[in-house]
Amino acid sequence: MNEADTCRTYVVPRLQAAGWERAPHSITEQRYFTDGRIVVAGTRTARRKHKKADYLLRYTRDFPIAVVEAKAEYKAPGDGLGQAKGYADVLGLKFAYSTNGTGIVEFDFLAGTETNLDSFPSPDELWSRLRAAEGITAPQEEKVLAPGFHSPGRTLRYYQEVAVNRTVQAVVQGKRRLLLTMATGTGKTETAFQICWRLWNSRWNRDGRPGKARILYLADRNILIDDPKDKTFAAFGDARIKIEGGKAPKSREMYFAIYQALAGAEGRPPLYREYPPDFFDLIIVDECHRGSAREDSNWREILEYFSPAYQLGMTATPLREDSRDTYKYFGGALYTYSLRDGIEDGFLAPYRVHRAFTPWDAAGWRPSKGELDRYGREIPDEEYQTRDFERVVALRARTEAVARHLTAHLTKTDRFAKTIVFCVDQEHALEMRTALVNLNQDLVRDHPNYVERVTSDEGDIGRGHLSRFQDVESQTPVILTTSQLLTTGVDAPTCRNIALVRWIGSMTEFKQIIGRGTRVRDDYGKLFFTILDYTGAATGKFADPEFDGDPVQAVEETLDELGATIPGTETEVQPEEPIDDGGEPGVILDEDDKPRRKFYFDGDHVEVIGEVVYDLDSEGRKLRVVRLDEYAGQKVRSLFPLAADLRRQWADPAKRSEIIDTLFDRGIDFDTLAAATNQPDADPFDLLCHLAYSAPLRTRRERAEMLRRDRTDFFEQHGPTARAILGELLDKYAEHGTAQFVMPDVLKVPPISERGNVIEIAQHFGGGDALREAVHQLQTLLYES
């Protein structure tokens, strides 16, 4: 009896007998809980296998409590326990079971015990054990198990469900400072909504008074509260209100505000003091790493004023030096879901990084003696580096070089791939927009909004451009230039390119910026994105030991003045160490420490002279910079130490398919490899042997002719028509590769199809089985030498 039979015949009836299908309890069968990591090989993408639990046991619809793994009857009952424990750990469950239908093995994470059972525990038994271990009292039970909000298309992912359940339980049990760390793009807002909804509907509040909780959703930008208020939290209806315009409403239950509105205008008392300190029961602090928790922050006063409230911080930033105040204030993270986790589960898009640089970035820029800027000011005779560009000195030629390189990248890939360009300041974003418009006049004529600037200066107009950029159905704008406005809180699911033209010293800000591209949209073909790094900021972050989700394999190209690749210029590049940028963009200090504007140099001409491409490998680890052919050779040798092992398995069509899938899973696509090595006519097997074992390189046509010449005995086994068909198969292989051996598809195209239908063709070999055997033998002999 196989696994499916075991499930149908034994497991489900025994779970039903234990009461797991009596409401409110339920069984979720064959539940996929990840999407499968996205693997990128060249321009092709594929997903790895999803993680799937055989059975999730739910005490209530929103509260899973155990996982069950079923194995075939002939296996031992505990054979699936390791898998069940692994899934339970990921899903935040305390009970794991393995069964072969007759025997049951339980692992209890609370007690640390492994036990053989005759039957599955009932829902009440498991809940009683969990309650006792975690100290959930009878009055708390109803609120811990309060139902979430359910509507089509809003099913929580497994990690969101873990975060919601842990937070609700912690709040109900009296933990007053809480922190959730979830990577950008993983749904923090939806998680916050479900937490608020369950606490609000269960009538929880801070002091046990009659009525529902009063909740404040707090952030530092309007865009971070307007979207949640109007969309995600719409189910709260008239209970919602935004605190703005100097007014302090008190008649609602779901409040939204930015710190600046609560702090009040200069010369007026702070608006937050119009509320009693104990007015709010719960405060959600979105993007809490950005200032509110710092001890020297004015906004910290707001949180301290409302100290009686429970306070939940939400951030995408793990503990590190620039977020230490956040963790000191809120405490250790109640739950963490990292960028690496999201990429591994397939919920976030992997990415490759193009490190491009001009001579001025590589070696610095120094003005000529007495050089004047566009306003007639003498530029100080100093050596200026990348971190100074557009902060201390604005170099128009460099901005135009970056614009040319970005335009060339889009021309080579997709000119309508949505792209965000992060500039140093609003002025720089304007210069970049002008350069990009002038380089794309052919598209701008038909699409006037092809390139737009979105900064605070644009106000409502800029927000309109941003809204259309976010809309997956809107073709334009395609390129947005910005400085700080889009670093966080902007959901752009079809954004395929992030261009960095300003130095980023903060790992926190870097993660926020690349988060603009990590959304996945399978339905629009958005499965990975590209970071174009013109400053070294991204490359430097990969050297940080605390960074997760590194792009790793790297290939370098050096470009000539026209932007064309110079052959044979691949070199190994080590990432730069991260350096704090510091200082206010666009402002420098003179000898008296007085701020003055940067200098503007409009002369000279410069081009991008080099480019390094980094890719995530299959394990998400960073490798030294190597060429694709070297990388492929290393991977083949690790899988097949001897060429004979590879040849033996490659000759078998079924095993050949497995090898191709395995190599693709490691980022090796044969079309891309053939193009990278300039060997379009090589047989994939010969190309792999050449790269891995330095074997002679043969073309497909050479290998086909060798078979015809050396194995005439094989062809003579068959009649004239069958021999001709086999010869035509070899011709197709020589022209197009081993895909031409797929049966019966190849029999349905000329010239073979001209000999009749599939049945008629098979008769020339003595039937279908004999035809398949002949084609199988043809492939085996093809790789005999």
Side-chain angles (χ1 to χ4, degrees):
M1 187 175 290
N2 61 28
E3 185 176 316
D5 293 332
T6 299
C7 293
R8 183 173 56 254
T9 307
Y10 294 118
V11 180
V12 173
R14 298 185 76 174
L15 288 170
Q16 291 170 334
W20 284 103
E21 281 200 336
R22 290 195 290 271
H25 321 304
S26 62
I27 304 168
T28 305
E29 189 172 356
Q30 301 296 311
R31 165 72 183 274
Y32 288 102
F33 58 90
T34 72
D35 281 356
R37 182 191 176 99
I38 299 167
V39 178
V40 181
T43 58
R44 296 174 57 210
T45 56
R47 284 189 180 271
R48 286 182 176 174
K49 290 183 179 179
H50 307 231
K51 290 181 180 178
K52 179 185 69 175
D54 287 338
Y55 300 97
L56 277 180
L57 307 185
R58 294 182 175 273
Y59 188 71
T60 66
R61 180 176 180 176
D62 299 292
F63 200 94
I65 198 169
V67 62
V68 179
E69 282 301 306
K71 297 300 177 183
E73 187 180 24
Y74 62 84
K75 294 188 176 182
D79 276 3
L81 191 61
Q83 186 177 6
K85 288 168 63 178
Y87 287 168
D89 185 53
V90 169
L91 297 170
L93 308 178
K94 301 302 182 184
F95 305 101
Y97 297 89
S98 175
T99 180
N100 64 351
T102 55
I104 301 170
V105 180
E106 175 193 77
F107 187 83
D108 182 339
F109 285 83
L110 299 170
T113 58
E114 184 175 317
T115 310
N116 291 304
L117 304 176
D118 295 324
S119 61
F120 288 105
S122 68
D124 288 339
E125 179 185 342
L126 285 192
W127 174 243
S128 178
R129 288 158 62 182
L130 183 65
R131 269 188 56 189
E134 301 199 348
I136 301 172
T137 65
Q140 293 169 348
E141 176 178 349
E142 181 182 355
K143 294 176 174 57
V144 169
L145 298 176
F149 178 84
H150 296 278
S151 70
R154 290 186 70 171
T155 302
L156 291 180
R157 293 169 175 167
Y158 81 86
Y159 60 86
Q160 293 173 306
E161 192 169 57
V162 175
V164 170
N165 282 325
R166 287 190 184 178
T167 304
V168 169
Q169 181 176 329
V171 168
V172 170
Q173 291 187 299
K175 184 173 175 60
R176 306 185 75 87
R177 297 287 180 272
L178 310 103
L179 181 67
L180 291 177
T181 302
M182 298 171 65
T184 300
T186 57
K188 291 192 296 293
T189 306
E190 181 66 25
T191 301
F193 163 74
Q194 292 288 351
I195 291 167
C196 294
W197 182 264
R198 286 174 60 172
L199 292 171
W200 184 70
N201 267 298
S202 70
R203 307 185 80 83
W204 168 88
N205 55 58
R206 179 178 45 79
D207 50 11
R209 68 182 184 277
K212 294 183 175 181
R214 290 190 290 263
I215 303 171
L216 172 63
Y217 191 96
L218 190 60
D220 68 340
R221 299 183 186 182
N222 279 305
I223 196 171
L224 293 177
I225 62 168
D226 289 343
D227 255 21
K229 171 184 169 291
D230 296 336
K231 298 175 183 177
T232 311
F233 284 74
F236 278 88
D238 292 338
R240 297 167 297 160
I241 195 168
K242 180 179 178 181
I243 302 172
E244 58 185 341
K247 298 178 181 178
K250 299 183 179 68
S251 60
R252 308 296 177 88
E253 292 160 341
M254 189 70 232
Y255 297 81
F256 297 83
I258 58 174
Y259 299 106
Q260 297 90 324
L262 288 177
E266 188 174 348
R268 291 192 317 183
L271 185 64
Y272 67 83
R273 292 190 176 274
E274 294 191 22
Y275 293 95
D278 61 355
F279 182 81
F280 295 109
D281 298 292
L282 173 67
I283 299 177
I284 306 287
V285 187
D286 193 18
E287 307 292 358
C288 64
H289 60 276
R290 286 217 308 273
S292 62
R294 289 206 313 265
E295 290 185 0
D296 60 347
S297 168
N298 292 330
W299 298 341
R300 175 75 169 264
E301 295 178 11
I302 298 174
L303 297 184
E304 291 178 342
Y305 178 80
F306 292 117
S307 60
Y310 286 63
Q311 296 178 10
L312 169 62
M314 305 194 76
T315 181
T317 305
L319 175 61
R320 46 181 297 110
E321 199 56 45
D322 58 4
S323 63
R324 193 164 298 280
D325 284 331
T326 299
Y327 283 76
K328 182 179 178 182
Y329 183 81
F330 289 102
L334 194 63
Y335 182 68
T336 297
Y337 190 76
S338 69
L339 173 64
R340 187 185 299 279
D341 294 331
I343 292 175
E344 183 61 36
D345 287 341
F347 297 128
L348 296 182
Y351 51 92
R352 58 167 52 106
V353 177
H354 289 241
R355 169 69 174 104
F357 45 91
T358 69
W360 294 345
D361 291 280
W365 177 82
R366 187 171 184 173
S368 302
K369 186 174 180 60
E371 188 85 62
L372 302 180
D373 77 350
R374 79 171 64 143
Y375 299 110
R377 298 175 300 171
E378 183 174 341
I379 303 174
D381 184 12
E382 299 175 12
E383 191 80 32
Y384 298 96
Q385 304 296 330
T386 300
R387 293 186 301 278
D388 302 317
F389 299 153
E390 306 304 325
R391 290 184 60 248
V392 179
V393 58
L395 303 174
R396 176 174 289 173
R398 177 176 176 270
T399 297
E400 292 174 345
V402 168
R404 282 193 295 274
H405 183 270
L406 176 57
T407 299
H409 171 79
L410 293 174
T411 301
K412 186 169 59 175
T413 54
D414 178 2
R415 295 187 74 184
F416 283 92
K418 291 190 176 180
T419 301
I420 302 177
V421 185
F422 287 95
C423 303
V424 172
D425 53 26
Q426 298 191 53
E427 189 176 49
H428 187 210
L430 181 60
E431 295 262 357
M432 184 63 68
R433 185 192 70 184
T434 300
L436 287 166
V437 165
N438 291 332
L439 287 165
N440 292 276
Q441 295 177 37
D442 58 326
L443 291 180
V444 174
R445 277 194 297 268
D446 296 327
H447 306 280
N449 300 123
Y450 181 77
V451 187
E452 293 294 348
R453 182 180 75 154
V454 175
T455 64
S456 58
D457 280 357
E458 272 77 26
D460 289 341
I461 294 175
R463 281 189 284 273
H465 293 318
L466 174 58
S467 179
R468 288 186 292 277
F469 182 86
Q470 293 174 282
D471 183 1
V472 296
E473 301 295 341
S474 295
Q475 190 177 38
T476 60
V478 173
I479 305 173
L480 295 185
T481 66
T482 188
S483 54
Q484 295 281 347
L485 189 62
L486 306 185
T487 57
T488 188
V490 176
D491 185 5
T494 56
C495 180
R496 295 175 185 269
N497 298 296
I498 302 292
L500 303 177
V501 201
R502 67 179 174 88
W503 186 264
I504 303 167
S506 162
M507 176 66 77
T508 299
E509 185 179 14
F510 173 66
K511 284 194 171 185
Q512 293 288 335
I513 285 175
I514 67 172
R516 302 312 105 212
T518 53
R519 272 70 169 181
V520 173
R521 282 300 295 261
D522 294 76
D523 50 343
Y524 284 85
K526 161 67 187 306
L527 293 168
F528 72 97
F529 70 104
T530 299
I531 300 171
L532 295 110
D533 180 13
Y534 295 100
T535 66
T539 313
K541 296 298 171 289
F542 305 146
D544 192 316
E546 296 185 42
F547 182 73
D548 57 353
D550 314 305
V552 287
Q553 182 200 348
V555 181
E556 181 185 84
E557 305 170 39
T558 301
L559 309 180
D560 61 20
E561 291 186 357
L562 298 178
T565 301
I566 302 173
T569 55
E570 297 87 353
T571 59
E572 183 169 329
V573 176
Q574 296 298 327
E576 306 168 26
E577 293 295 328
I579 303 174
D580 187 10
D581 54 355
E584 179 184 349
V587 176
I588 57 176
L589 300 178
D590 61 17
E591 294 178 354
D592 299 321
D593 288 336
K594 295 179 180 179
R596 56 185 170 87
R597 294 297 301 170
K598 57 190 172 185
F599 296 97
Y600 299 85
F601 179 70
D602 298 336
D604 285 354
H605 177 84
V606 71
E607 294 287 345
V608 171
I609 60 166
E611 182 173 355
V612 183
V613 182
Y614 293 82
D615 287 308
L616 283 165
D617 75 354
S618 59
E619 305 303 324
R621 292 194 299 263
K622 183 180 175 189
L623 306 175
R624 62 186 177 87
V625 180
V626 295
R627 295 178 357 183
L628 180 59
D629 54 356
E630 294 175 353
Y631 173 73
Q634 292 169 1
K635 287 300 179 183
V636 170
R637 287 193 299 273
S638 69
L639 293 168
F640 305 99
L642 300 176
D645 298 333
L646 175 60
R647 185 189 309 280
R648 184 174 56 256
Q649 295 195 40
W650 190 271
D652 184 323
K655 292 183 178 178
R656 183 193 313 140
S657 180
E658 292 177 5
I659 294 171
I660 292 171
D661 290 343
T662 299
L663 292 175
F664 186 89
D665 200 41
R666 285 158 173 75
I668 300 170
D669 168 60
F670 283 114
D671 290 339
T672 305
L673 186 60
T677 56
N678 197 28
Q679 298 293 340
D681 298 324
D683 182 276
F685 170 78
D686 289 302
L687 184 55
L688 292 178
C689 287
H690 177 70
L691 298 177
Y693 315 111
S694 300
L697 188 60
R698 294 189 180 96
T699 66
R700 294 188 299 272
R701 193 164 300 281
E702 288 173 338
R703 187 165 281 281
E705 291 306 317
M706 284 174 55
L707 177 57
R708 282 193 176 98
R709 182 184 68 241
D710 298 340
R711 293 307 303 263
T712 57
D713 58 321
F714 165 70
F715 293 97
E716 289 172 355
Q717 296 174 15
H718 304 282
T721 304
R723 285 200 302 271
I725 292 171
L726 292 172
E728 289 165 352
L729 279 173
L730 270 183
D731 290 339
K732 283 188 168 292
Y733 155 76
E735 185 69 26
H736 302 292
T738 55
Q740 301 306 309
F741 292 131
V742 176
M743 304 290 286
D745 299 358
V746 70
L747 306 180
K748 300 176 182 179
V749 294
I752 301 176
S753 62
E754 296 170 359
R755 300 181 183 277
N757 59 36
V758 173
I759 296 175
E760 291 169 339
I761 293 171
Q763 287 174 351
H764 292 295
F765 291 84
D769 291 342
L771 169 61
R772 281 189 291 272
E773 177 58 30
V775 175
H776 187 283
Q777 191 175 4
L778 176 69
Q779 295 181 72
T780 302
L781 294 174
L782 187 63
Y783 295 105
E784 190 175 46
S785 61

